[in-house]
Amino acid sequence: MQDIAWITSLILMAVVAVAFLWVAAGASKPDGDAGGIARSGFQWRARLFWIVIAAGGVISLVTLWDWPIAGHATAANRPDAVVRAVGHQWRWELDRDTVKVGELVEFQITASDVNHGFAIYKDKKHMVAQAQAMPGYVNKLQVRFIEPGEYEVLCLEYCGLAHHGMRAVIKVVEHVHEPYR
Ligand code: CUA
């Protein structure tokens, strides 16, 4: 999908470049009808404008249809488990840290002091989901963990000196032995 978007962008950029060159070439003719060239240039510019707007709309729709971050499309579903998460300078407070594979987990995220960014990572490079942690609001983020393992919660918004130290771990397990609800 990224490749298609990239190629489409290149084609559109080429179209725009050709149109500019064409208008520029026409405008530099010494004995040309300057008014006519300007008029047709403006007409083309108007058409191109709408073509680019329409293409941008279609490309956005196609590329964003399958939102790459899990949870957003299912935010209205009834969760199987709820995890309350509070961001503090500079730590995460989670009311539980173990959830089960496959269940729909709803993170209810807020902050006690300043804005933080609640981001769940599968490994250092792969973000599973994220939401803002803001004082006075509770943001709900629904995530269905597909793979077991340890997921790291990091802060995504600079919140002061030890921002980088805001780490927590969520364990995603196949079975939970102790009663945890
Ligand atoms: Cu909390 Cu950055």
Side-chain angles (χ1 to χ4, degrees):
M1 190 53 75
Q2 297 296 319
D3 290 343
I4 295 171
W6 175 233
I7 289 165
T8 313
S9 309
L10 282 181
I11 291 170
L12 285 174
M13 280 189 261
V15 168
V16 172
V18 167
F20 269 104
L21 287 174
W22 181 70
V23 171
S28 63
K29 276 180 198 154
D31 55 353
D33 171 5
I37 289 165
R39 254 194 309 284
S40 86
F42 281 129
Q43 278 170 1
W44 267 103
R45 200 163 67 176
R47 271 177 227 157
L48 263 176
F49 175 78
W50 290 112
I51 289 170
V52 169
I53 292 289
V58 171
I59 291 167
S60 301
L61 200 65
V62 170
T63 55
L64 296 179
W65 196 259
D66 290 318
W67 188 247
I69 298 169
H72 290 248
T74 58
N77 292 337
R78 228 175 80 84
D80 303 310
V82 172
V83 178
R84 288 175 194 84
V86 186
H88 306 280
Q89 284 169 312
W90 290 278
R91 66 194 170 87
W92 289 111
E93 179 193 343
L94 306 177
D95 68 345
R96 50 184 279 197
D97 63 359
T98 305
V99 297
K100 280 192 282 186
V101 171
E103 68 180 0
L104 186 61
V105 181
E106 180 171 287
F107 292 92
Q108 297 179 354
I109 304 158
T110 187
S112 66
D113 36 38
V114 299
N115 276 16
H116 301 271
F118 181 89
I120 305 170
Y121 285 83
K122 175 76 181 77
D123 49 55
K124 291 287 177 213
K125 287 180 191 149
H126 181 191
M127 191 200 295
V128 176
Q130 66 92 19
Q132 282 292 105
M134 301 182 288
Y137 295 86
V138 176
N139 282 326
K140 293 178 178 176
L141 177 66
Q142 294 196 336
V143 182
R144 203 184 290 280
F145 294 97
I146 298 158
E147 286 177 54
E150 296 206 336
Y151 291 68
E152 203 171 19
V153 177
L154 299 175
C155 186
L156 262 196
E157 180 154 336
Y158 183 70
C159 55
L161 272 183
H163 152 77
H164 59 277
M166 287 187 66
R167 294 165 77 248
V169 172
I170 296 165
K171 286 170 228 128
V172 178
V173 297
E174 301 278 4
H175 305 283
V176 176
H177 297 293
E178 68 281 348
Y180 65 95
R181 274 176 217 278

